[in-house]
Amino acid sequence: MSGRVWVDGELVPARQARISALDTGFRSGVGVFETLRVDRHRLFRLGAHLDRLQAGADRLGFQLDADRLRRGVTDTVLANETLGPHLAVRITCSAGAIDADSPFPGDASR
């Protein structure tokens, strides 16, 4: 895959993108995602997508920073303009890495 992706607040070449093996989304599928359309370099209904991401994260008990996500999506689209005026953007968010040193990893209540 060519292009650049936004991972943990940083734009990186897609082939170099990495997430932690301890990430809750990777380990147990706990996360939220949205796919949105970019048409003629314009994001389609980004606000509605961010609202749904926030609602899902609230239900799962983790925080999202909508302003940071908005900047990340915008920066990613701008960084990939050479791929053409029509793109699909996948936003995937999790609660982050578990505490592997916890006696019950991933359970914040213990």
Side-chain angles (χ1 to χ4, degrees), residues 4-61:
R4 298 179 65 79
V5 297
W6 191 69
V7 179
D8 292 332
E10 183 179 350
L11 275 170
V12 297
R15 293 184 187 278
Q16 294 176 14
R18 303 287 183 267
I19 63 166
S20 169
L22 300 177
D23 182 83
T24 56
F26 177 77
R27 289 180 56 91
S28 47
V30 177
V32 293
F33 70 91
E34 284 281 323
T35 302
L36 62 115
R37 183 177 69 196
V38 176
D39 186 31
R40 291 182 223 115
H41 303 290
R42 292 187 187 152
L43 295 161
F44 183 74
R45 301 194 58 169
L46 179 58
H49 288 283
L50 294 176
D51 289 346
R52 281 191 296 274
L53 284 168
Q54 185 65 60
D58 289 347
R59 284 189 198 104
L60 293 173

Side-chain angles (χ1 to χ4, degrees), residues 39-85:
D39 186 31
R40 291 182 223 115
H41 303 290
R42 292 187 187 152
L43 295 161
F44 183 74
R45 301 194 58 169
L46 179 58
H49 288 283
L50 294 176
D51 289 346
R52 281 191 296 274
L53 284 168
Q54 185 65 60
D58 289 347
R59 284 189 198 104
L60 293 173
F62 66 91
Q63 298 295 314
L64 292 182
D65 182 339
D67 291 333
R68 185 173 184 223
L69 283 173
R70 182 180 301 278
R71 283 190 310 275
V73 170
T74 302
D75 290 351
T76 303
V77 170
L78 289 172
N80 288 289
E81 281 186 324
T82 59
L83 297 178

